[in-house]
Amino acid sequence: MKDDNCIFCKLANGDIPTYSLYEDDDFNVIFDAGPATVGHALIIPKEHAANIFELSEELTGRAFILAKKMAAVMTEVFGADGFNILQNNNAAAGQSVFHFHIHLIPRYENDHAIGMWTPGEQEKEKLESAIVKIREMMID
């Protein structure tokens, strides 16, 4: 279902003009208006879902299959040296537009577009506790 107040619903459904790379019944792939690198694009479902948790499993699967295909083609077209497929959920994770979308970011040697984190250390007790809870929840 489309949300008339959502800018990404309007972009995905053609209500606002974009540079569309690919479109089918469920998705529109457009160039990002504020790109991290040359060729940075977004996969946007035409159906509104605020994040991955609201998107159906079927549509989620198709979105990531499309991401894989687009990344392969875009890597060749843009002559990229690498590729980021990035998807954020909720503000704490960097999501700023609350309509599920996947970033397709061609990467080039020394582009410094996305910083890497400094590896930390895991807390053994928390991991062991989480393993038990996750395994229990995945059975349901």
Side-chain angles (χ1 to χ4, degrees):
M1 190 162 135
K2 187 175 158 187
D3 178 344
D4 292 333
N5 296 316
C6 174
I7 185 88
F8 273 24
C9 281
K10 292 175 183 177
L11 292 168
N13 289 285
D15 298 334
I16 297 173
T18 63
Y19 289 105
S20 179
L21 292 75
Y22 171 86
E23 184 174 6
D24 62 25
D25 291 341
D26 297 312
F27 302 99
N28 199 345
V29 182
I30 66 171
F31 282 121
D32 193 303
T37 65
V38 172
H40 180 171
L42 304 172
I43 295 176
I44 307 174
K46 293 179 178 182
E47 173 184 318
H48 184 80
N51 54 42
I52 199 168
F53 309 115
E54 292 185 6
L55 200 64
S56 72
E57 287 186 8
E58 180 184 348
L59 210 53
T60 300
R62 291 202 325 262
F64 280 94
I65 290 168
L66 177 57
K68 178 183 175 185
K69 290 177 181 178
M70 290 296 302
V73 170
M74 291 172 69
T75 295
E76 184 174 336
V77 168
F78 288 106
D81 300 310
F83 210 95
N84 286 116
I85 297 173
L86 178 66
Q87 202 280 308
N88 304 317
N89 295 286
N90 299 326
Q95 185 178 13
S96 59
V97 177
F98 296 94
H99 179 117
F100 172 89
H101 57 285
I102 300 173
H103 291 266
L104 303 171
I105 307 172
R107 297 301 304 272
Y108 308 96
E109 290 295 328
N110 301 312
D111 65 20
H112 305 291
I114 299 173
M116 297 302 289
W117 61 86
T118 302
E121 292 184 21
Q122 297 281 10
E123 295 180 37
K124 183 179 176 184
E125 297 79 23
K126 286 186 179 182
L127 292 180
E128 290 170 350
S129 173
I131 288 169
V132 171
K133 291 177 184 174
I134 289 169
R135 288 180 179 168
E136 288 173 356
M137 294 173 77
M138 290 301 292
I139 291 172
D140 294 340

